[in-house]
């Protein structure tokens, strides 16, 4: 559990509380939209936080029931004929995910271009805002969703619901959402409030929303928000009623072919969504850490097995909760684990109190999260840094995800991105050679004429396996083109990744348009320490490293 650290204890607990507030209605809404018992969503939220959080390969990812599986679950329950038979399919799906983890299938995430991931994040931000606007005005015909807009019939109808909500606006809900948003914005903008680190703005917003609505109810105001627009958590009247909410799989269906087909479908879709979200969450990580995707698949498998054993929905890593985690100050796995503990305590101890929370207050929290993901600055940044070769696939991904769903949208964006990559790399070949190296040595990485996105995985693996306390010289003297993804990978390694292992990084020959600072004047001093001296003019001519210094070369020569 080396990922857990007391250094971020306070910020992780605060973030866990915010994620809990976001996750609670999502768990209930997704269960309702899936045709499953409401408590099944709570179970998977708890397991996703505590169990998957513990075993996860990611510092910031938060797992739970996902809207991306809603239609599959709804259809599967009807096909299999019982909830218990579906639980068996979920258990088997978890086993398949464990196998995928051991087969190292997580490497697939390394081949997802950043423009597609950035587009997916921006699209999800837009969808979050659009799906929360009806809740903000007190029209809750659709349920909360992680990625897209699913109603009780399992259909996608976000835009029609937005139009309908205009005719059903409730002034009380609008007041609550405006006050809640005002509090969140004030905590981010007002200097005096920004200094308050102990209390998350989201919690203050929720408390204010509850206080406002309780005031409306107490004075008999028509502004009072009805129970239909509040959190709806199951409230068992006895311990026996509480136990009855758990279910066991129907193992008598083990020979049912349909059970195995459903299991394979869930395992495939859940694994793909998880890998997409892990890659996206790594993009949001302020510390720029890399997640072990194979470990994540194993964690998801364990989580889905346990969830299915006690009556929970299948789950994935989910970007709404993960992004809320990052934006609220979460920095280690403790934030995800604590959100699961908060869910557990809440359903056992204070379900009636939580049922007083207006969905409008929670909508304000999610709208703030969505705006950060889809800020106009994101679009400007993508245009300024990459022009059409990165910007067009980015925009296509945004539009496709909003217009369809997560997997289809990413697939369309990926196809467009691959088209641009292939067009720019028709004459390229990639050759990779790595020799053994030990601590204390100097390693040289030479980038040749063209370095494309397809080289990202090999370079990323090289960085990940560099020995501690070593020195690496990255030489771009011969390059004509370096892909934006690779440049960003190098920048992140220089600014963050190398510090964990005390690796000194020196850059040579990077052009001004790459927007990365060279450090050739520092290399001579470093290499001259107890080793052959290297003249500065030799560095500038291509860095003729002495024979007694070990080399690791990344060769991306034109074919």
């Amino acid at each position: 559990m080396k990922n857990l650290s007391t250094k971020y204890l306070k910020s992780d607990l605060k973030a866990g509380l915010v994620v809990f507030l976001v996750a609670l209605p999502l768990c209930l809404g997704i269960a309702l939209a899936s045709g499953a018992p409401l408590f099944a969503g709570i179970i998977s939220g708890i397991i996703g936080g505590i169990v998957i959080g513990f075993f996860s390969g990611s510092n910031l990812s938060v797992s739970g029931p996902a809207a991306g599986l809603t239609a599959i679950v709804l259809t599967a329950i009807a096909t299999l004929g019982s909830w218990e038979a579906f639980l068996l399919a979920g258990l088997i799906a978890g086993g398949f995910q464990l196998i995928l983890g051991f087969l190292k299938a997580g490497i697939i995430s390394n081949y997802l271009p950043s423009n597609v991931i950035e587009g997916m994040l921006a699209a999800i931000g837009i969808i979050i805002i659009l799906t929360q606007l009806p809740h903000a005005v007190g029209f809750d015909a659709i349920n909360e969703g992680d990625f897209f807009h699913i109603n009780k019939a399992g259909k996608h109808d976000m835009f029609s619901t937005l139009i309908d909500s205009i005719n059903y606006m409730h002034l009380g809900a609008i007041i609550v959402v405006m006050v809640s948003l005002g509090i969140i914005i004030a905590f981010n903008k007002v200097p005096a409030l920004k200094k308050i680190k102990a209390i998350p703005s989201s919690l203050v917003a929720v408390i204010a929303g509850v206080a406002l609505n309780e005031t409306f109810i107490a004075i008999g105001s028509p502004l009072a928000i009805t129970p239909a627009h509040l959190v709806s958590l199951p409230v068992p009247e006895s311990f026996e009623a509480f136990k009855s909410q758990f279910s066991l799989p129907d193992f008598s269906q083990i020979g049912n072919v349909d059970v195995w087909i459903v299991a394979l479908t869930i395992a495939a879709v859940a694994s793909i969504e998880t890998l997409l979200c892990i890659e996206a969450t790594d993009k949001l990580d302020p510390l720029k850490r890399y997640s072990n995707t194979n470990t994540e698949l194993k964690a998801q498998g364990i989580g889905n097995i346990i969830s299915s054993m006690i009556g929970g929905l299948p789950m994935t890593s989910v970007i709404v909760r993960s992004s809320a985690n990052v934006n609220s100050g979460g920095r280690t796995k403790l934030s995800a684990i604590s959100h699961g503990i908060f869910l557990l305590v809440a359903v056992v101890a204070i379900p009636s109190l939580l049922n007083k929370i207006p969905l409008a207050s929670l909508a304000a929290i999610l709208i703030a999260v969505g705006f950060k993901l889809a800020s106009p600055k994101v679009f400007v940044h993508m245009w300024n840094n990459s022009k059409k070769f990165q910007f067009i696939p980015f925009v296509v991904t945004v539009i496709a995800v909003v217009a369809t769903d997560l997997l289809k949208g990413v697939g369309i964006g990926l196809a467009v991105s691959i088209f641009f990559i292939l067009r720019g790399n028709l004459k390229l070949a990639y050759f990779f050679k790595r020799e053994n190296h030990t601590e204390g040595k100097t390693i040289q990485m030479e980038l040749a004429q063209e370095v494309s996105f397809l080289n990202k995985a090999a370079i990323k693996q090289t960085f990940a396996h560099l020995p501690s306390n070593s020195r690496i010289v990255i030489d771009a003297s011969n390059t004509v083109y370096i892909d934006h993804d690779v440049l960003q990978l190098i920048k992140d390694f220089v600014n963050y990744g190398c510090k964990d292992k005390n690796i000194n990084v020196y850059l040579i020959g990077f052009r001004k348009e790459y927007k990365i600072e060279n450090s050739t004047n520092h290399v001579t001093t470093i290499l001259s320490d107890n080793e052959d001296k290297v003249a500065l003019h030799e560095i500038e001519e291509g860095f003729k490293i002495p024979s007694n210094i070990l080399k690791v070369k990344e060769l991306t020569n034109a074919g």
Side-chain angles (χ1 to χ4, degrees):
M1 290 300 294
K2 63 181 181 180
N3 288 19
L4 294 181
S5 170
T6 56
K7 177 180 178 182
Y8 299 109
L9 178 62
K10 289 183 179 179
S11 61
D12 283 337
L13 290 176
K14 282 170 53 183
L17 181 59
V18 174
V19 177
F20 153 69
L21 293 172
V22 170
L24 179 62
L26 295 180
C27 292
L28 295 169
I30 291 168
L32 185 63
S34 301
L38 288 181
F39 198 67
I42 297 294
I43 291 172
S44 59
I46 294 170
I47 300 299
I50 299 174
V51 177
I52 295 182
F54 184 88
F55 290 106
S56 175
S58 171
N59 292 282
L60 298 173
S61 169
V62 181
S63 296
L69 296 176
T70 306
I72 295 173
V73 174
L74 190 66
T75 304
I77 293 173
T79 301
L80 299 178
S82 73
W83 170 242
E84 289 74 18
F86 174 79
L87 290 177
L88 178 62
L91 189 153
I92 296 171
F96 284 140
Q97 286 185 297
L98 265 178
I99 294 171
L100 288 173
F102 283 110
L103 292 176
K104 301 187 183 302
I107 196 173
I108 295 170
S109 66
N110 287 328
Y111 296 95
L112 299 171
S114 67
N115 50 9
V116 173
I117 297 300
E118 294 280 3
M120 183 187 82
L121 286 171
I124 289 169
I126 293 170
I127 290 170
I128 291 172
I129 294 171
L130 294 178
T131 54
Q132 294 309 307
L133 286 177
H135 297 289
V137 299
F139 178 70
D140 300 304
I142 58 173
N143 302 300
E144 298 279 352
D146 274 352
F147 292 113
F148 42 84
H149 33 83
I150 298 178
N151 65 10
K152 294 180 181 179
K155 297 179 181 179
H156 302 258
D157 60 356
M158 176 173 60
F159 294 106
S160 63
T161 303
L162 278 172
I163 295 171
D164 291 342
S165 66
I166 296 173
N167 300 317
Y168 294 92
M169 290 191 291
H170 186 272
L171 184 57
I174 295 173
I175 292 173
V176 167
V177 80
M178 294 302 291
V179 170
S180 299
L181 272 176
I183 290 171
I184 293 171
I185 294 170
F187 267 76
N188 289 325
K189 298 293 183 181
V190 178
L193 293 176
K194 288 174 69 175
K195 294 179 182 179
I196 301 175
K197 303 295 183 182
I199 305 174
S201 60
S202 300
L203 178 60
V204 178
V206 167
I207 293 173
V210 172
L212 268 174
N213 192 50
E214 288 301 304
T215 301
F216 294 151
I217 294 171
I219 64 177
S221 171
L223 297 176
I225 299 173
T226 63
H229 305 291
L230 303 177
V231 168
S232 179
L233 193 64
V235 184
E237 296 179 355
S238 65
F239 181 69
E240 289 300 320
F242 179 76
K243 287 198 304 181
S244 68
Q245 296 180 101
F246 295 89
S247 305
L248 293 174
D250 181 2
F251 288 99
S252 67
Q253 296 292 315
I254 194 71
N256 186 340
V257 176
D258 288 336
V259 167
W260 289 87
I261 293 174
V262 169
L264 282 169
T265 304
I266 292 173
V269 175
S271 297
I272 292 171
E273 286 204 8
T274 291
L275 293 178
L276 286 170
C277 293
I278 288 295
E279 191 73 11
T281 304
D282 282 356
K283 288 282 183 186
L284 298 174
D285 185 359
L287 303 181
K288 302 300 178 185
R289 292 162 291 187
Y290 305 137
S291 297
N292 187 323
T293 49
N294 296 316
T295 301
E296 185 64 30
L297 286 177
K298 295 174 188 176
Q300 294 289 330
I302 293 170
N304 277 322
I305 288 172
I306 295 175
S307 178
S308 298
M309 282 293 294
I310 58 176
L313 284 168
M315 66 197 92
T316 72
S317 170
V318 278
I319 195 60
V320 173
R321 274 159 269 191
S322 300
S323 57
N325 182 26
V326 176
N327 292 331
S328 303
R331 293 296 178 267
T332 76
K333 295 160 67 167
L334 181 60
S335 56
I337 295 172
S338 63
H339 117 274
I341 294 173
F342 288 140
L343 274 173
L344 176 60
V345 171
V347 299
V348 173
I350 54 170
S352 298
L353 180 60
L354 293 174
N355 286 345
K356 295 181 182 294
I357 299 175
L359 291 177
S361 284
L362 300 177
I365 297 172
L366 287 168
I367 287 171
V369 170
F371 184 78
K372 285 189 177 182
L373 291 175
S375 168
K377 292 180 181 178
V378 174
F379 290 80
V380 173
H381 168 76
M382 290 300 295
W383 174 256
N384 288 339
N385 282 275
S386 51
K387 303 303 179 184
K388 65 179 181 180
F389 298 106
Q390 291 284 329
F391 187 73
I392 292 176
F394 164 77
V395 171
V396 168
T397 304
V398 171
I399 296 171
V401 171
V402 172
T404 58
D405 59 41
L406 179 71
L407 295 182
K408 291 177 184 176
V410 168
I412 293 169
L414 189 60
V416 174
S417 185
I418 290 172
F419 168 78
F420 279 101
I421 291 169
L422 293 177
R423 198 177 81 165
N425 291 274
L426 287 176
K427 298 181 180 180
L428 297 182
Y430 178 71
F431 306 93
F432 174 70
K433 178 183 179 183
R434 182 173 66 206
E435 300 172 10
N436 292 327
H437 49 269
T438 57
E439 291 190 11
K441 293 290 186 177
T442 298
I443 301 147
Q444 186 187 15
M445 178 185 289
E446 295 179 1
L447 304 177
Q449 196 169 13
E450 300 267 359
V451 186
S452 77
F453 154 75
L454 297 173
N455 309 139
K456 173 185 172 184
I459 295 175
K460 185 175 181 180
Q461 288 297 311
T462 298
F463 286 160
H465 291 92
L466 286 173
S468 299
N469 305 312
S470 58
R471 298 167 299 203
I472 181 169
V473 180
I474 304 176
D475 186 356
S477 302
N478 298 320
T479 60
V480 175
Y481 166 79
I482 302 179
D483 184 82
H484 171 76
D485 281 13
V486 177
L487 280 173
Q488 190 61 50
L489 180 66
I490 293 172
K491 289 177 185 178
D492 289 343
F493 181 72
V494 170
N495 293 327
Y496 302 96
C498 65
K499 295 177 182 177
D500 288 342
K501 297 168 73 174
N502 193 30
I503 298 172
N504 292 316
V505 185
Y506 305 96
L507 307 177
I508 298 174
F510 284 83
R511 301 168 180 268
K512 289 183 179 180
E513 55 265 31
Y514 295 156
K515 298 180 181 179
I516 187 169
E517 185 178 350
N518 291 293
S519 54
T520 55
N521 57 325
H522 298 293
V523 179
T524 304
T525 304
I526 295 299
L527 293 182
S528 297
D529 184 18
N530 298 323
E531 294 175 324
D532 291 351
K533 291 186 177 181
V534 181
L536 183 58
H537 73 271
E538 290 182 319
I539 294 174
E540 293 172 342
E541 289 174 0
F543 194 79
K544 299 177 181 178
I545 197 165
S547 59
N548 67 321
I549 297 178
L550 194 61
K551 300 180 183 179
V552 174
K553 296 184 178 181
E554 303 279 352
L555 302 176
T556 55
N557 295 319

